[in-house]
Short mmCIF file of all heavy atoms in Angstrom, two decimals:
data_model
loop_
_atom_site.label_atom_id
_atom_site.label_comp_id
_atom_site.label_asym_id
_atom_site.label_seq_id
_atom_site.Cartn_x
_atom_site.Cartn_y
_atom_site.Cartn_z
N ARG A 1 -5.15 11.88 3.65
CA ARG A 1 -4.73 10.60 4.22
C ARG A 1 -5.55 9.50 3.56
O ARG A 1 -6.64 9.75 3.03
CB ARG A 1 -4.86 10.56 5.74
CG ARG A 1 -6.27 10.54 6.26
CD ARG A 1 -6.26 10.43 7.76
NE ARG A 1 -7.62 10.48 8.28
CZ ARG A 1 -7.92 10.53 9.55
NH1 ARG A 1 -6.96 10.54 10.46
NH2 ARG A 1 -9.17 10.57 9.95
N LEU A 2 -5.02 8.28 3.61
CA LEU A 2 -5.72 7.15 3.02
C LEU A 2 -6.94 6.80 3.85
O LEU A 2 -6.93 6.89 5.07
CB LEU A 2 -4.80 5.92 2.98
CG LEU A 2 -3.72 5.88 1.93
CD1 LEU A 2 -2.87 4.63 2.10
CD2 LEU A 2 -4.30 5.93 0.53
N THR A 3 -7.99 6.37 3.18
CA THR A 3 -9.15 5.82 3.86
C THR A 3 -8.90 4.33 4.08
O THR A 3 -7.94 3.76 3.56
CB THR A 3 -10.42 5.98 3.01
OG1 THR A 3 -10.24 5.24 1.79
CG2 THR A 3 -10.72 7.44 2.71
N ALA A 4 -9.78 3.67 4.81
CA ALA A 4 -9.68 2.22 4.97
C ALA A 4 -9.79 1.54 3.61
O ALA A 4 -9.07 0.57 3.33
CB ALA A 4 -10.78 1.73 5.91
N THR A 5 -10.63 2.07 2.75
CA THR A 5 -10.77 1.53 1.39
C THR A 5 -9.46 1.69 0.62
O THR A 5 -9.04 0.79 -0.10
CB THR A 5 -11.92 2.24 0.64
OG1 THR A 5 -13.12 2.08 1.40
CG2 THR A 5 -12.11 1.68 -0.74
N GLY A 6 -8.81 2.83 0.77
CA GLY A 6 -7.53 3.07 0.11
C GLY A 6 -6.45 2.12 0.60
O GLY A 6 -5.67 1.59 -0.19
N ARG A 7 -6.41 1.89 1.92
CA ARG A 7 -5.42 0.95 2.47
C ARG A 7 -5.70 -0.46 1.96
O ARG A 7 -4.77 -1.19 1.61
CB ARG A 7 -5.43 1.00 3.99
CG ARG A 7 -4.77 2.26 4.54
CD ARG A 7 -4.59 2.19 6.04
NE ARG A 7 -5.84 2.10 6.77
CZ ARG A 7 -6.62 3.12 7.10
NH1 ARG A 7 -6.25 4.34 6.76
NH2 ARG A 7 -7.73 2.94 7.76
N ALA A 8 -6.97 -0.84 1.89
CA ALA A 8 -7.33 -2.16 1.38
C ALA A 8 -6.95 -2.30 -0.09
O ALA A 8 -6.42 -3.33 -0.52
CB ALA A 8 -8.82 -2.42 1.57
N ALA A 9 -7.21 -1.26 -0.89
CA ALA A 9 -6.87 -1.30 -2.31
C ALA A 9 -5.36 -1.43 -2.50
O ALA A 9 -4.90 -2.16 -3.37
CB ALA A 9 -7.39 -0.06 -3.02
N LEU A 10 -4.61 -0.75 -1.68
CA LEU A 10 -3.15 -0.82 -1.75
C LEU A 10 -2.69 -2.24 -1.43
O LEU A 10 -1.83 -2.79 -2.11
CB LEU A 10 -2.53 0.19 -0.79
CG LEU A 10 -1.04 0.40 -0.87
CD1 LEU A 10 -0.65 0.93 -2.24
CD2 LEU A 10 -0.60 1.36 0.20
N GLY A 11 -3.29 -2.83 -0.41
CA GLY A 11 -2.94 -4.20 -0.04
C GLY A 11 -3.35 -5.21 -1.11
O GLY A 11 -2.60 -6.13 -1.42
N GLU A 12 -4.52 -5.02 -1.70
CA GLU A 12 -4.99 -5.92 -2.75
C GLU A 12 -4.11 -5.84 -3.98
O GLU A 12 -3.95 -6.83 -4.70
CB GLU A 12 -6.44 -5.59 -3.13
CG GLU A 12 -7.44 -5.98 -2.08
CD GLU A 12 -8.83 -5.47 -2.38
OE1 GLU A 12 -9.06 -4.99 -3.51
OE2 GLU A 12 -9.68 -5.55 -1.49
N ALA A 13 -3.53 -4.69 -4.24
CA ALA A 13 -2.66 -4.54 -5.40
C ALA A 13 -1.28 -5.14 -5.12
O ALA A 13 -0.41 -5.11 -5.98
CB ALA A 13 -2.54 -3.06 -5.76
N ASP A 14 -1.10 -5.67 -3.91
CA ASP A 14 0.16 -6.27 -3.51
C ASP A 14 1.32 -5.28 -3.61
O ASP A 14 2.44 -5.65 -3.92
CB ASP A 14 0.44 -7.54 -4.30
CG ASP A 14 1.50 -8.41 -3.61
OD1 ASP A 14 1.64 -8.30 -2.38
OD2 ASP A 14 2.17 -9.18 -4.30
N LEU A 15 1.02 -4.01 -3.39
CA LEU A 15 2.04 -2.98 -3.42
C LEU A 15 2.54 -2.64 -2.03
O LEU A 15 3.61 -2.06 -1.89
CB LEU A 15 1.50 -1.70 -4.07
CG LEU A 15 1.08 -1.80 -5.51
CD1 LEU A 15 0.41 -0.49 -5.94
CD2 LEU A 15 2.25 -2.09 -6.39
N ALA A 16 1.78 -2.99 -1.02
CA ALA A 16 2.11 -2.55 0.33
C ALA A 16 3.52 -2.92 0.78
O ALA A 16 4.24 -2.05 1.29
CB ALA A 16 1.06 -3.07 1.32
N PRO A 17 3.99 -4.16 0.61
CA PRO A 17 5.35 -4.46 1.07
C PRO A 17 6.41 -3.63 0.35
O PRO A 17 7.33 -3.12 0.98
CB PRO A 17 5.52 -5.95 0.76
CG PRO A 17 4.13 -6.48 0.68
CD PRO A 17 3.30 -5.34 0.13
N ARG A 18 6.26 -3.46 -0.96
CA ARG A 18 7.25 -2.69 -1.73
C ARG A 18 7.19 -1.22 -1.35
O ARG A 18 8.21 -0.56 -1.24
CB ARG A 18 6.99 -2.89 -3.22
CG ARG A 18 8.11 -2.40 -4.08
CD ARG A 18 7.84 -2.68 -5.51
NE ARG A 18 6.44 -2.36 -5.74
CZ ARG A 18 5.76 -2.68 -6.81
NH1 ARG A 18 6.31 -3.31 -7.77
NH2 ARG A 18 4.51 -2.36 -6.95
N VAL A 19 5.97 -0.70 -1.14
CA VAL A 19 5.82 0.71 -0.77
C VAL A 19 6.43 0.96 0.58
O VAL A 19 7.16 1.93 0.78
CB VAL A 19 4.32 1.10 -0.80
CG1 VAL A 19 4.10 2.40 -0.08
CG2 VAL A 19 3.83 1.17 -2.22
N ARG A 20 6.14 0.10 1.54
CA ARG A 20 6.68 0.30 2.89
C ARG A 20 8.20 0.24 2.88
O ARG A 20 8.87 0.94 3.61
CB ARG A 20 6.10 -0.75 3.84
CG ARG A 20 4.67 -0.46 4.18
CD ARG A 20 4.16 -1.36 5.30
NE ARG A 20 2.73 -1.29 5.31
CZ ARG A 20 1.92 -2.25 4.88
NH1 ARG A 20 2.40 -3.38 4.44
NH2 ARG A 20 0.61 -2.10 4.92
N ALA A 21 8.75 -0.62 2.07
CA ALA A 21 10.20 -0.74 2.00
C ALA A 21 10.80 0.34 1.11
O ALA A 21 12.01 0.52 1.08
CB ALA A 21 10.58 -2.11 1.45
N ASN A 22 9.94 1.05 0.37
CA ASN A 22 10.37 2.11 -0.54
C ASN A 22 11.41 1.59 -1.54
O ASN A 22 12.42 2.23 -1.80
CB ASN A 22 10.92 3.31 0.23
CG ASN A 22 10.97 4.55 -0.62
OD1 ASN A 22 10.28 4.65 -1.64
ND2 ASN A 22 11.78 5.50 -0.22
N MET A 23 11.11 0.41 -2.07
CA MET A 23 12.01 -0.21 -3.03
C MET A 23 11.39 -0.21 -4.41
O MET A 23 10.19 -0.36 -4.55
CB MET A 23 12.30 -1.66 -2.61
CG MET A 23 13.04 -1.78 -1.30
SD MET A 23 13.20 -3.48 -0.76
CE MET A 23 14.07 -4.21 -2.13
N PRO A 24 12.22 -0.12 -5.44
CA PRO A 24 11.69 -0.20 -6.80
C PRO A 24 11.25 -1.61 -7.12
O PRO A 24 11.69 -2.57 -6.50
CB PRO A 24 12.88 0.21 -7.67
CG PRO A 24 14.07 -0.10 -6.84
CD PRO A 24 13.65 0.09 -5.40
#
């Protein structure tokens, strides 16, 4: 599972909205 650091890194990379929506 992701750590808090992993979740923060994902958010900083601005990937979170696209990942959650599972869109290309």
Side-chain angles (χ1 to χ4, degrees):
R1 70 177 177 186
L2 285 177
T3 62
T5 303
R7 286 189 297 277
L10 189 62
E12 289 171 11
D14 198 25
L15 297 173
R18 192 177 43 192
V19 165
R20 286 190 196 105
N22 198 21
M23 296 174 58

